[in-house]
Each structure stands twice: as structure tokens, then as C-alpha cells.
Amino acid sequence: MTAGLRATRAYLAARPDADIDWAAAPPRYKRYPPAGRSVLPWNSGSDPLAGLLRDLMGLRPRWSYPVALTGTARQERPLVDVGRPVPSGGGLHPVELYVCTGPGSGRAAGLYHYDPAHHCLDLVRPGDHRAAMSGLLDAPPAVLPDLVVACTAVFWRNGFKYRDFAYNLQCQETGALAAQFLAIAKALDRRASVHVIFRDREVNALLGVEPAAEGALALLTLGTDTAARIEDLPTAADLTATPAAAPLDASPAVPTTLPHLTRLHTTAARPTRVRDHVPRYPGAAAGGPRVPLPDARPVRLADGVAGRASPLAGYRRDPVDADALAAVLAHAARGYRGDLPGAYAAPVAVDPHVVVDRVRGLAPGAYRYDADRNSLVQVGDASAIALVRNGPVHENTGLGLATAAAVVVPVGDPLDADRGLGDRWYRVLQIETGLVVHRAALAAAACDLGARIHSDGANRATDAAIGLTDRPERSLSFLLLGHERRGPRLPAPPPQRRELP
């Protein structure tokens, strides 16, 4: 056994052993005292930060039409509920956002917590935290960012339901938020980066969170502030001399209730230097025939931000156009700016695969996507569809699978000791998985397709379907694609407000 991966191996071997106690469900929002609160305008024209946070995590209405699982329309009024822009396992949203800002927009420089329920920023500690926070990155920037956003996981928020598996979902949701952040920033013509290697203990101390209950998973940076000099801003020691505001609802510590999650997160938080690490791009079996794809449909991920929502009633039988699938896969496999060497060219941990049922011009089967040649390499024949559909999935996943036109499956090795990151590799892998699969979902929405993540679809049956039975890689997530079924003679939901340029 590789000593550096003991926590990861123990975590992967753990299984939920308790029924869900819904009475133990914690609040889905973290709240701070209102002193120093900055209420954000809903119209982002006067405050760009307001629009960014609204499109990352703000509440928004969602229309849904009652449709029977058979596809028959129910004679009922449309339903309206409240959701968030980025999907979350079980709709529990365990990730919190802390924002380090400089002075501007009528707001004092400080460390703020974003309250999505009230669309406001609550002051956690005064003072400009940008230099101190970005200085804790593995590769601190030479120029001060305009904005630093810390993504933390409140472990019990979804841990009460998913037990130790909650960490997998927390990391993937962090990656999805990072993908959303990058898409919005690109539409605004702002430079954005995703950072997953940093000094965890110091970051958590600067945020003022209790490490046994909540921990940082990623830091996101936006823009550059050439008017301020890093050396002129307060240090972490200067800032932490002032205690952070205490939340109104303390989250419970989880070392006893979620021991494997706690051990993996604690071990992954040990200091890591990625600059000495040489990446190895994900590899997969050579596979069979190569199938060229048409040019990808030209869509922007930002165009999927407003309309992306998880289909509730499955998919129509209409086939998906091949250029739309090509766009979904191209965006999923695109590089991004971050602190992992090689990530600017392509994801360094994840290799997209797809199981095709009804895509125009493509034979049903399982394929590995080759971004360099815009083609699919066959790794399974049409029997892969039955393998996936007969896998150990929940009822709602099975119902979606029965009508989905295709499934995007990101693949990677959770026990890759050669990457030099030890147990932190699992966190990095799952964050990148969330980033890749949410980019695919945004591209699908921009192509007017429905897409929904079903984490239980990443299982041994799916591994077998895409040719991973004798390989170390595993399916990591599972994104159903198709034309959303809204029922006969029912109109499409009203379009969401679109303000991205």
C-alpha cells in the first residue's frame, strides 16, 4: 500500500452505514451578524460584483411543468420554486463563498461572506484581505487580484444525508462553481484563475472558520489591481489581530460522525508544493475505430448560465445533433487558467468519455473523446447502453437513463500516486471533475439541450461499459443529455433574464 494514499483508500472503501436522519438536517444557509452588511443590487449595472455573485450562487426562480413520468402532461398549473445557478447533490448546497474585496462600489475593503438568501455581503473582518489571501497560494501572483473568492465546504450540510461520500460531492460542487466563475469572467472579459493548491491551515484561520466543521477547498481570483501594491496591504498577522465575526448558526464538528471525510480532508490539507510536480495527462486504453466529429457548434458557456437547469421529467426521443455533442465535449475538455501545471492546455486529471444512444450520424456505443483530433475513439459497442442502464442506480437516474440521448462520463484515477500530491490528489481530481462536467452542462444549455448530473451513475457497470474493467481509472460523474421533455402541447418555460454581454 502506498503510504501517502492511506486516507484516500480508506475513504473509497467506506460505505454509508446509517439511515438518513432528516431531523438532523442543518440550515442550508450560513448567516453572520448584519453589522457591516452590504446589500447588493439585483441589477448588476451599478455593482459588477453583485451580478457575479448572483450568477454564481444567488437564488432564482425556476419554472417547471407537471409532467407524468410517461411524458403525459398533467392538467395542472406550472410550478415555480427557488433554485440556484449551479447544481448541488440533493439540492443541499454545502459550499459557501467568502469574498476578499478592495474598496469600491460604496463598500469598505474587507472579508465578506455572501448570503444568497438575502443577496448581500456580511462583513466577517474589516481590512483588505486580498494580498494576505493570495499570498497563501502555492504560486502567489505578482500583481494583486481585483477579487479573491474562497470556496469552503460545510461538512455536515450534506454529510447528514450522504455521510462520508459528502466530500466527493463537496469537491465536485466546488469545481462546478469554478466552471461557472470562469464562464462569467470570460463573458465579462476578465482574467480568472482557479487555485487548488494553497496553505490550508492559514487560509482557514484567515477566514475564521472552524476546521473541524468547515474547510477551504479552492480559491478563485479575478482581474488585476494595478493601482494597489501588495507590499502596502496588511499581512495575515495584521488582519487576524482582529477576530473574525462569529456566525449566527455554528456548524457542528464532524470528526466523530464523518471520520473518513475528516481524515481525508485533514491529510489532504497538509502543505503541498505543486511546482515540483510534473503532470502526466490522463491516459486510457487505445480503443477501437476512430469516428470523426463535425465542427463543434459555436456556443459560449456564458449563454448557458441563465437557462441551465436539471430536467425533472426525462428527455424526448428526438436525437441530438452531432455538432451539439461536439460542442459539449469540446468545452468539457478545454483547458483553464489555474495552478495545476498543464491545465491551461487541457484538464490534467480527467478524460471525457461518452455513451451514445441517439446522436445523428453516430452509431450507438461507448467512446473516448480525443480533443486534439475532434474525434471519438470507440471503447464499447451498442451493448454499453444496456450495461449502463442496468447498473445499480436510483429510480430517478434509471428513469432519466431510459430516455437520455447520451451520457458524458468524466474518467480519472483516484489513486494516482505518481502525481506527487499524496491524498490531496483526490480533492484535486474531484474538483476538476466538477469543473469538466459543469462546463459540459453549460454547453448543453447553450445548445438548448437538457443536462442533469446523476452521481450514482458513476459505478462499476459504467466502468465496464467504457472499457475500464482492467484499468485503474474510474468513472467519476455521470451527465445525462437530451432534449428536455416538458410534455405535449406545453410551451417552453419563460426565458431567464440574460445580462451577460
Side-chain angles (χ1 to χ4, degrees), residues 280-497:
R280 176 172 56 80
Y281 283 95
R290 183 178 296 274
V291 181
L293 286 171
D295 291 341
R297 187 177 298 179
V299 296
R300 302 185 316 161
L301 293 186
D303 292 334
V305 167
R308 191 223 59 83
S310 299
L312 301 177
Y315 308 88
R316 303 196 310 268
R317 291 289 180 180
D318 315 39
V320 167
D321 291 331
D323 68 334
L325 179 63
V328 169
L329 294 172
H331 280 288
R334 193 156 291 169
Y336 58 95
R337 185 174 281 107
D339 54 6
L340 294 178
Y344 190 76
V348 300
V350 175
D351 199 17
H353 287 57
V354 62
V355 178
V356 170
D357 184 12
R358 300 184 312 280
V359 177
R360 288 187 177 91
L362 294 180
Y367 300 88
R368 174 172 55 85
Y369 177 60
D370 183 342
D372 293 334
R373 298 174 65 175
N374 188 35
S375 63
L376 298 175
V377 178
Q378 189 167 9
V379 294
D381 59 21
S383 65
I385 300 167
L387 273 174
V388 169
R389 286 177 174 164
N390 293 327
V393 297
H394 298 303
E395 183 180 13
N396 70 328
T397 303
L399 291 168
L401 260 174
T403 54
V407 188
V408 175
V409 183
V411 166
D413 182 1
L415 291 171
D416 193 344
D418 295 335
R419 300 301 186 110
L421 297 179
D423 284 304
R424 196 183 193 98
W425 172 249
Y426 184 84
R427 183 202 295 183
V428 169
L429 173 69
Q430 298 300 340
I431 289 175
E432 190 172 82
T433 297
L435 186 153
V436 165
V437 79
H438 188 62
R439 278 183 156 182
L442 287 175
C447 292
D448 198 28
L449 295 174
R452 182 173 180 177
I453 298 170
H454 293 265
S455 297
D456 57 317
N459 55 49
R460 292 293 186 179
T462 299
D463 294 345
I466 57 180
L468 301 180
T469 301
D470 298 320
R471 295 189 57 82
E473 296 92 350
R474 291 290 173 259
S475 54
L476 302 171
S477 188
F478 195 81
L479 181 74
L480 299 185
L481 292 176
H483 296 282
E484 183 175 359
R485 186 167 62 185
R486 301 187 180 106
R489 296 181 300 280
L490 286 177
Q496 300 287 338
R497 185 186 325 178

Side-chain angles (χ1 to χ4, degrees), residues 221-246:
T221 58
L222 180 72
T224 55
D225 184 352
T226 56
R229 298 195 311 167
I230 292 176
E231 57 269 24
D232 293 337
L233 296 182
T235 64
D238 297 332
L239 293 163
T240 53
T242 301

Side-chain angles (χ1 to χ4, degrees), residues 269-282:
R270 291 172 181 167
T272 303
R273 292 182 64 85
V274 76
R275 280 172 283 179
D276 300 326
H277 157 65
V278 178
R280 176 172 56 80
Y281 283 95

Side-chain angles (χ1 to χ4, degrees), residues 247-258:
L248 297 177
D249 303 299
S251 302
V254 298
T256 301
T257 51
L258 305 176

